[in-house]
Amino acid sequence: MKTVMSGIQPTGDLHIGNYFGAVQNWVRLQETYRCYFCVVDYHSMTIPYEPAKLRENTWKMAFQLLACGIKPENLFIQSLVPEHAELAWILSCVASYGELTRMTQFKDKAEQLKEKDKDVLISAGLFTYPILQAADILIYHAHYVPVGKDQEQHLELSRNIAQRFNHQYGRDYFPLPEPLFTETPKILSPADPARKMSKSLGEKHYINLFGEEAHIRKQIRSAVTDTGDAPPGQMSPGVANLFEILRACGQIDAYNVLMADYHAGKLRYSQLKETVADALAALTTALRERLQHLEAEKKKVKAQLEASSAVIREFARKTLREVREIVGLTSLKA
Ligand code: TRP
């Protein structure tokens, strides 16, 4: 069985863009692959953050992933497997400084941070972030990594690191991980459909997957439809986004009927919105209920995740024992 690995930052709450674009796909991959999914709390330390909030958000994200259908045995918290950090150090001596300086995400993030606060500290961790990501992947000898296109360059770096490691130490130790760009719906901001749904844009720009139904309905009702910038005869991005959400919710029949109305020039946006809101309400209500069940057993669920992290850690330790041997570090006793 091939191995899949992916990670998600503990941003607080999952939004429907994360769900349709990534998490739903992860849930499906569990049927075919040995899966390692991880909440990457070490990665969240690369930009300014609050310690108490980080811990809270890490558990929050783990619970939400479970509610979405990630199996507890496939889920863990990155920092509960500290071997990731050790492998990242070793790989940082294989990665080149030059290739890291070409990472566009580092440049973008550093610029964004400086825009908000020109005196902000740009950490070395933000710069070496992709090496830690490579460690996340390689430590499990993963073959496939389901990620968005924005992670393509990081994946390429992971492959280069694996290849260089194998070459430098003269053996085929790490499989070269490949990105898995599954076609997933790209959900846009309801308030500004020119941009991808994202928490960093602000409250209006994302729909919380575990939000209150009334609030979700309100956000759909006030979603931007016509901005007047779509070329004549072409569907505006806001309307296309509503259709995309409907389809992502699995409402294919309603989608087809409304799409036919659109092409016949008789679609009422109010009706489209109503249908989308109903579809999202049905989906999110079920997810919210599952989350409530998990939260009612908080202690038990946390213990379960700690246990799965410990099992996964055993695998990571095995990799580290082998890697330490290969690279010439002194053997650890026990
Ligand atoms: N950098 C990824 C992102 O921002 C998150 C991530 C961390 C990741 N480690 C990973 C993704 C390992 C895939 C595999 O989305």
Side-chain angles (χ1 to χ4, degrees):
M1 200 188 259
K2 297 269 187 179
T3 299
V4 156
M5 195 282 153
S6 199
I8 187 165
Q9 289 212 31
T11 49
D13 284 303
L14 283 171
H15 58 63
I16 65 167
N18 302 134
Y19 181 71
F20 294 129
V23 180
Q24 206 181 32
N25 186 36
W26 290 9
V27 172
R28 291 194 200 109
L29 290 168
Q30 295 180 115
E31 292 163 24
T32 323
Y33 299 101
R34 171 75 191 99
C35 290
Y36 293 89
F37 296 124
C38 126
V39 181
V40 294
D41 52 350
Y42 281 144
H43 276 107
S44 293
M45 299 171 64
T46 54
I47 61 173
Y49 73 99
E50 269 177 58
K53 203 82 195 149
L54 173 60
R55 194 172 300 121
E56 182 189 320
N57 283 344
T58 299
W59 285 113
K60 202 169 176 184
M61 182 59 78
F63 272 64
Q64 294 192 0
L65 290 170
L66 289 178
C68 290
I70 299 295
K71 294 180 192 163
E73 64 270 27
N74 295 340
L75 184 64
F76 67 105
I77 291 169
Q78 186 187 33
S79 69
L80 290 182
V81 186
E83 285 73 16
H84 286 229
E86 187 183 353
L87 182 60
W89 171 256
I90 294 171
L91 296 180
S92 77
C93 301
V94 177
S96 83
Y97 172 77
E99 65 191 342
L100 276 183
T101 61
R102 290 193 289 276
M103 296 293 120
T104 56
Q105 198 169 74
F106 168 74
K107 291 180 215 170
D108 293 346
K109 280 194 186 171
E111 225 162 84
Q112 275 169 23
L113 286 174
K114 279 192 191 140
E115 258 167 42
K116 271 193 249 159
D117 170 8
K118 66 175 175 38
D119 296 324
V120 73
L121 177 113
I122 304 298
S123 71
L126 186 65
F127 184 64
T128 57
Y129 174 117
I131 300 178
L132 180 59
Q133 182 167 349
D136 295 341
I137 298 165
L138 299 182
I139 207 166
Y140 302 109
H141 297 250
H143 303 99
Y144 300 116
V145 186
V147 280
K149 279 278 178 192
D150 64 320
Q151 293 297 312
E152 193 165 14
Q153 207 184 17
H154 287 168
L155 249 291
E156 193 58 39
L157 181 77
S158 298
R159 287 173 66 81
N160 285 345
I161 291 176
Q163 199 158 27
R164 204 171 306 129
F165 182 97
N166 291 347
H167 181 74
Q168 203 158 304
Y169 295 102
R171 60 189 97 183
D172 268 338
Y173 183 69
F174 289 123
L176 306 188
E178 281 174 41
L180 209 58
F181 299 126
T182 312
E183 257 317 307
T184 53
K186 298 280 172 290
I187 308 298
L188 308 172
S189 154
D192 180 2
R195 300 199 267 182
K196 203 174 122 185
M197 181 173 287
S198 161
K199 279 194 81 174
S200 57
L201 295 174
E203 288 242 322
K204 295 184 302 188
H205 295 279
Y206 67 94
I207 297 173
N208 191 343
L209 187 61
F210 294 93
E212 289 299 325
E213 177 176 337
H215 187 64
I216 294 176
R217 287 187 178 276
K218 193 167 147 231
Q219 280 185 296
I220 294 296
R221 227 179 293 128
S222 52
V224 171
T225 45
D226 276 331
T227 40
D229 51 7
Q234 204 168 312
M235 188 182 278
S236 73
V239 175
N241 193 37
L242 290 169
F243 272 110
E244 191 70 2
I245 295 172
L246 190 57
R247 189 162 59 166
C249 288
Q251 303 274 338
I252 308 304
D253 292 343
Y255 176 94
N256 287 335
V257 169
L258 292 170
M259 193 55 98
D261 282 353
Y262 172 82
H263 287 299
K266 57 178 190 182
L267 174 68
R268 282 184 300 116
Y269 291 155
S270 59
Q271 198 197 344
L272 172 63
K273 287 179 170 181
E274 180 87 16
T275 312
V276 171
D278 287 345
L280 270 183
L283 172 86
T284 57
T285 300
L287 289 174
R288 217 166 31 241
E289 280 169 5
R290 277 159 73 173
L291 185 60
Q292 278 160 6
H293 282 299
L294 293 167
E295 275 168 352
E297 304 192 324
K298 204 170 207 139
K299 265 205 170 137
K300 199 180 121 197
V301 177
K302 273 192 171 183
Q304 201 175 18
L305 283 170
E306 279 160 353
S308 70
S309 299
V311 171
I312 288 169
R313 187 176 179 197
E314 278 313 307
F315 190 97
R317 290 174 76 136
K318 177 170 175 284
T319 302
L320 256 300
R321 271 196 301 277
E322 293 167 356
V323 168
R324 290 174 63 103
E325 173 70 27
I326 292 171
V327 303
L329 291 170
T330 306
S331 303
L332 267 174
K333 293 297 165 223

